[in-house]
Amino acid sequence: MSRQTTIPLRERNIILIGFMGAGKTTIGQLVAKKLYRDFIDVDAEIERRQGMSIPELFAQKGEAYFRKVERELIVDLCTNTRLKILSLGGGAYLQEEVRRACLAHGIVFFLDLSWDYWKEERLPLIVDSRPVLKNKTLEEVEQLFFQRQSAYALHHSRVVLNELEAEQAAEQIVESIKWTWDVYEPNR
């Protein structure tokens, strides 16, 4: 499938991107259940394949090694699998090769949150478990948040999560996907 084959819309992987802690894994699992697809959390898959946690991987082999492994896995999943729901780590989509593969072979949903909402609601839940946040001031995290927005802006669809429960966000994604299928590939 790595050749330039056009993947039918209904068979494309659905890819969730967004800042760390946005809810990509939780929402992705819900979308997968609703669409009867397999769910792959890219970070969890990397941990499984490497035999260590992401923080351990960062500490032992460095961020450059992690990004290489992450890029290779995502490009492989995008070009060689179908009918999956993929949740990407917050920094994965910053890599040009990852973005190209996702946009060309999948349907990319940006799970968006405002900075204020993320800072108040999500940061306290993840601050100790994310190596990228280690030893950073709130101002540095805010700068990282806004730096990533330009990469996240390259997507097929956007879901603003500030006021949505995970179930509502998943339902919105599923309805959007089904509508797209009906418009672009009717009677299948």
Side-chain angles (χ1 to χ4, degrees), residues 43 46-47 52-63 66 126 128-132 134:
D43 283 350
I46 290 170
E47 288 179 337
M52 64 180 79
S53 71
I54 301 296
E56 290 171 330
L57 199 55
F58 264 70
Q60 291 180 24
K61 298 191 178 187
E63 185 174 0
F66 170 76
I126 66 167
D128 295 326
S129 64
R130 307 299 167 109
V132 174
K134 193 173 184 174

Side-chain angles (χ1 to χ4, degrees), residues 2-13:
S2 4
R3 287 188 213 97
Q4 288 296 69
T5 309
T6 302
I7 302 168
L9 209 50
R10 290 176 189 265
E11 295 180 23
R12 289 181 179 223
N13 293 328

